[in-house]
Amino acid sequence: MTDDSIAERKMQFLFTLRTRGVTDKRTLAAMEKVDRGEFLRGLFAERAYEDMPLPIACGQTISQPSIVGLMTQALNVDPRHRVLEVGTGSGYQAAVLAQMARRVYTIDRHPKLVKDAEAIFDRMGLGNITTFAADGSHGLPDQAPFDRIIVTAAAEDPPGPLLAQLKIGGIMVLPVGQSDTVQSLIRVTRTETGYEYEELRSVRFVPLVEGMARDD
């Protein structure tokens, strides 16, 4: 692929993001820097700039770029923030956040996904990402509180341990819903007196599962 065709594909990618509601300049700049193809294997890497979810290892998926962009935009990350991501998956979302935050902590129940993502982060020189193979539904109490939390799997309700690990004034973005067909992306803001909830849009994510996976 020529440099011109790569540049054209990237321009089309950013145009698609804008038309689907990703308008925040810092989010767009971060997504322009991070090549989604780095996080996909084989034939799927050729489809990296299409706005669609694609399969990765362990029966999981890499989210479509517009959803990554909308979730990142909703977090309103700034360069001082410490961000927790629950659900490392391919590592793509964490790599985007790493362009914007001071430090990203990312956790996944699949050790293989964490190991694969670590190798990509090392290759890309992303030294501000810390990975954990653990049960994400419990968060990382030893590292809490966090300025921002993003969850890339759907729970029936926002998990209590994660809400408790959010700083006052902090924001969590996550999908909630009882099935894989009816889910809503919500933004939770922690206040001095409790939590404020805002519904953003309908989405479809894999379920948030408790416990560690066995990656045979």
Side-chain angles (χ1 to χ4, degrees):
M1 191 172 286
T2 66
D3 289 346
D4 284 348
S5 60
I6 291 170
E8 186 177 330
R9 192 168 70 161
K10 191 165 278 192
M11 281 177 61
Q12 181 60 45
F13 176 72
L14 293 171
F15 176 76
T16 300
L17 291 176
R18 289 191 191 95
T19 60
R20 303 208 168 152
V22 184
T23 55
D24 175 64
K25 287 181 180 177
R26 291 190 67 237
T27 300
L28 289 166
M31 294 186 73
E32 185 176 9
K33 281 183 190 173
V34 179
D35 180 5
R36 190 171 179 243
E38 293 277 352
F39 301 87
L40 291 159
R41 298 280 173 85
L43 294 173
F44 293 117
E46 290 296 311
R47 306 180 72 179
Y49 284 95
E50 295 179 27
D51 192 37
M52 62 189 303
L54 293 166
I56 58 171
C58 303
Q60 303 299 296
T61 58
I62 181 172
S63 295
Q64 67 192 84
S66 60
I67 296 296
V68 171
L70 289 167
M71 292 181 78
T72 304
Q73 178 173 274
L75 275 179
N76 192 25
V77 176
D78 80 28
R80 299 163 298 170
H81 284 158
R82 297 167 72 250
V83 181
L84 170 64
E85 178 194 33
V86 177
T88 307
S90 68
Y92 177 59
Q93 174 74 77
V96 170
L97 290 167
Q99 311 298 319
M100 306 170 71
R102 179 161 63 93
R103 178 151 293 278
V104 177
Y105 300 84
T106 183
I107 183 169
D108 203 288
R109 63 189 293 269
H110 291 277
K112 174 177 170 45
L113 293 181
V114 172
K115 186 178 178 184
D116 290 350
E118 280 179 345
I120 299 170
F121 300 151
D122 287 345
R123 193 164 69 235
M124 296 177 74
L126 297 175
N128 63 335
I129 301 177
T130 305
T131 58
F132 297 85
D135 181 348
S137 62
H138 299 299
L140 291 172
D142 291 348
Q143 303 291 340
F146 297 98
D147 301 287
R148 299 290 187 265
I149 299 176
I150 184 170
V151 185
T152 59
E156 194 168 324
D157 295 296
L162 298 184
L163 289 171
Q165 290 172 37
L166 196 58
K167 275 186 183 176
I168 292 172
I171 293 170
M172 176 160 64
V173 174
L174 76 161
V176 294
Q178 294 183 324
S179 72
D180 65 356
T181 55
V182 183
Q183 296 173 0
S184 293
L185 187 64
I186 66 168
R187 175 166 48 199
V188 184
T189 304
R190 186 169 190 178
T191 68
E192 296 278 358
T193 55
Y195 300 91
E196 295 176 354
Y197 297 84
E198 179 186 356
E199 194 168 318
L200 302 177
R201 58 164 290 153
S202 297
V203 288
R204 283 190 71 175
F205 276 83
V206 296
L208 182 65
V209 179
E210 292 190 12
M212 290 296 291
R214 289 181 61 189
D215 294 337
D216 296 328

